[in-house]
Every structure is written in C-alpha cells, then in structure tokens.
Amino acid sequence: STAQFDENKSIGPNSLSVNSSNNLYTDVEALANYDLKVSDHSLNVLLGTSLEQTQNKGMNGYRTTFPNNYLYELSSGDASTSTNGSSLTEYTLLSFFGSVNYSFKDRYLLEANVRADGSSRFADGKRWGVFPSVSVGWRVSEEAFWKDAAIASWFDNLKIRVSEGVLGNQNIDVYPYQQTYSLGQNYVLGGSLVSGAYSATYKNEEVTWERTSIFDVGVDFGLFGGKLSGT
C-alpha cells in the first residue's frame, strides 16, 4: 500500500526541553492572648502579627538535533539550536491584627476586630489598608422578663446579633504599579535587524486595596430541648 502524507504534521530533528521550578512559601506568626474573668465580666484580648512571603523561580532550556534518541542531556544537542530562559516572582504581605471579646453575664456580647495589612503588590503610599469590624449580641433568653414570658419554655436559647465590618482584597497581578518590559522583540535599525525591548504593561501607581463593607443582622435560636435549632 502507498503511505498517505499528512500535510498537518511535520517531522523534524529530535529535540529536548527541560523545565524546573522552585517555589518557596514562608509564613511566620506571633500571637499573644489574654483572658480575664471578674464576677459577671469576661474579657479576651488577642494581638498578633504575621509575615507571608512567596518566591517562585523557574528555568528552562531547549535544544534539537541530537546524535540519537537515547541522550537526555541538553549539552548533547546542537549548540546552535540552544534556547533558555528564567523567571522570578516575589511578593510579601505583612499584617498586624487584634481582637477584643467582652461579655457581661453571658448576656450582652461585644466583639471588635481590626487588622492592618501591607502588601508589596501596591506602590509606596498605597500598600497599607486598615480593616475594622465590630459585632454586638444580646442573649434575650437570659433576661428576667423573658423567663416569665409564656413562650419562654419553648426556647433553650434566643440571641440577636448585629455586625458590620470591612474586608480587604489584594488578589491582583504582582507588579501592577511598575512599568514592565519584554525582551526579544526585533527591530530594524540602520538597515540591520537588532533585538530590543517593548513596554508589556502600563503602570498604575494608584491601584490599592479593594474594600468590601458587610452589614449583618442575625438571630440564633434553639427550641424544644435542643430538638430544633437554627440561625
């Protein structure tokens, strides 16, 4: 039979591509916690700081035209066909945070939180964001007037709570505030072809934390000796 030629496929010299990566993530935290209980008052204070660093390195190499198909080292290929490259990406997040929880007679509840985050993804003057939150709760089922109510016998627990806070988001490109360039672009200068660079992105020094405000109102309840509960 006659072999059929497929114009969508090409057969060239044997080739070898080698890629390697090294990804390092470092997370360091320090926490301090304090508890105090005096009579009907309960207090908990938490202070902390954390440092997160990420470093991603990559290298690659490529050659063709090996003497045979049994050699798996780049140096065995034709040096004139050699190409290689490398990459490096780094970013850091430094945070300070604190939390205060207070309750009186396990009836009136208060929680306040605040954190300050500094991200290397943003330019100087735009790196830090402060994100507070506060919530209050009222355990109605612990009140004397509630215990005398007709429906109180149905409830094991009834709590009303309100909270408001701000969240921050930094999940964008690593270097949006810096002008970046790409190499390998060819230009004609003086009648000759030379390699150069071009602007790959446009910097935005004003980019900073995305802020999202959240407001919640909630009710927690338990009924019939723990047979039914919900939020």
Side-chain angles (χ1 to χ4, degrees):
S1 60
T2 303
Q4 298 295 319
F5 175 72
D6 188 345
E7 63 182 9
N8 295 318
K9 296 181 179 179
S10 62
I11 300 175
N14 48 13
S15 63
L16 176 66
S17 179
V18 177
N19 300 275
S20 67
S21 62
N22 186 343
N23 303 315
L24 177 64
Y25 173 73
T26 304
D27 183 11
V28 180
E29 291 187 353
L31 301 174
N33 193 66
Y34 177 74
D35 285 294
L36 176 66
K37 187 172 179 63
V38 178
S39 184
D40 295 327
H41 304 271
S42 295
L43 177 69
N44 173 264
V45 179
L46 173 68
L47 298 176
T49 182
S50 67
L51 175 65
E52 299 179 48
Q53 292 182 317
T54 299
Q55 183 185 79
N56 301 321
K57 291 182 178 181
M59 295 190 67
N60 63 81
Y62 177 81
R63 284 193 185 189
T64 69
T65 319
F66 288 75
N68 55 56
N69 291 334
Y70 306 102
L71 298 175
Y72 296 96
E73 295 298 328
L74 284 174
S75 58
S76 302
D78 185 353
S80 65
T81 66
S82 174
T83 61
N84 58 75
S86 65
S87 62
L88 172 63
T89 302
E90 296 178 303
Y91 52 92
T92 302
L93 177 68
L94 177 62
S95 303
F96 301 96
F97 49 87
S99 174
V100 176
N101 285 270
Y102 170 76
S103 69
F104 176 66
K105 292 185 176 182
D106 199 28
R107 186 182 306 167
Y108 308 109
L109 311 172
L110 170 67
E111 179 179 348
N113 305 278
V114 64
R115 63 180 297 132
D117 297 298
S119 173
S120 66
R121 297 174 187 260
F122 309 123
D124 288 340
K126 300 290 184 178
R127 288 183 172 171
W128 286 93
V130 179
F131 309 104
S133 66
V134 62
S135 64
V136 293
W138 178 27
R139 200 179 299 276
V140 183
S141 54
E142 296 299 315
E143 296 287 358
F145 72 83
W146 176 262
K147 297 181 184 298
D148 296 331
I151 62 173
S153 60
W154 301 357
F155 285 83
D156 310 302
N157 173 54
L158 178 62
K159 182 173 73 172
I160 301 173
R161 50 189 171 79
V162 179
S163 65
E164 185 172 12
V166 181
L167 300 176
N169 179 24
Q170 58 146 357
N171 293 323
I172 58 173
D173 291 338
V174 179
Y175 308 116
Y177 66 93
Q178 294 180 339
Q179 183 69 60
T180 60
Y181 299 88
S182 290
L183 302 175
Q185 183 71 29
N186 294 325
Y187 299 92
V188 177
L189 293 177
S192 299
L193 190 65
V194 297
S195 61
Y198 67 95
S199 298
T201 62
Y202 295 99
K203 65 180 179 179
N204 180 3
E205 296 182 353
E206 297 302 313
V207 66
T208 187
W209 287 90
E210 178 187 41
R211 299 171 64 89
T212 303
S213 297
I214 299 176
F215 176 77
D216 288 311
V217 176
V219 176
D220 302 321
F221 61 88
L223 294 169
F224 313 123
K227 295 179 181 179
L228 176 64
S229 61
T231 296

